[in-house]
Amino acid sequence: IFIFLKGKGKVIVDQFENEVNPGDFAFIPRWCNHQSINTGTEDLVLLAVADFGLTGKSFIGNYLKTARLKAQ
């Protein structure tokens, strides 16, 4: 989930594109391609809430290697 706190922008999730403003949020389904883009003159500030722990437990294979993270 992306929660937009400041600025103007757009978020792209797979083939869908939406404008975002402060107070908006975007749900990013697991495994979707996504990107946030600043379209305004000030910084685009967002809070990203992720489920990396849950994703790692539900993924078949080596999630840490696939996600380019170091195994601990």
Side-chain angles (χ1 to χ4, degrees):
I1 296 173
F2 287 171
I3 304 167
F4 293 89
L5 305 174
K6 180 180 173 185
K8 293 177 68 173
K10 62 182 173 181
V11 63
I12 302 169
V13 180
D14 283 340
Q15 73 275 18
F16 301 101
E17 185 175 312
N18 289 292
E19 298 292 324
V20 291
N21 293 292
D24 291 343
F25 70 93
F27 173 71
I28 317 297
R30 188 175 290 137
W31 317 122
C32 286
N33 292 316
H34 59 280
Q35 181 179 13
S36 55
I37 300 169
N38 184 353
T39 60
T41 57
E42 64 179 336
D43 289 342
L44 178 63
V45 179
L46 62 98
L47 172 65
V49 181
D51 68 346
F52 292 123
L54 177 61
T55 301
K57 293 177 183 173
S58 66
F59 185 75
I60 298 172
N62 186 344
Y63 173 76
L64 294 177
K65 182 177 179 184
T66 304
R68 299 180 186 166
L69 299 175
K70 288 185 174 181
Q72 295 182 1

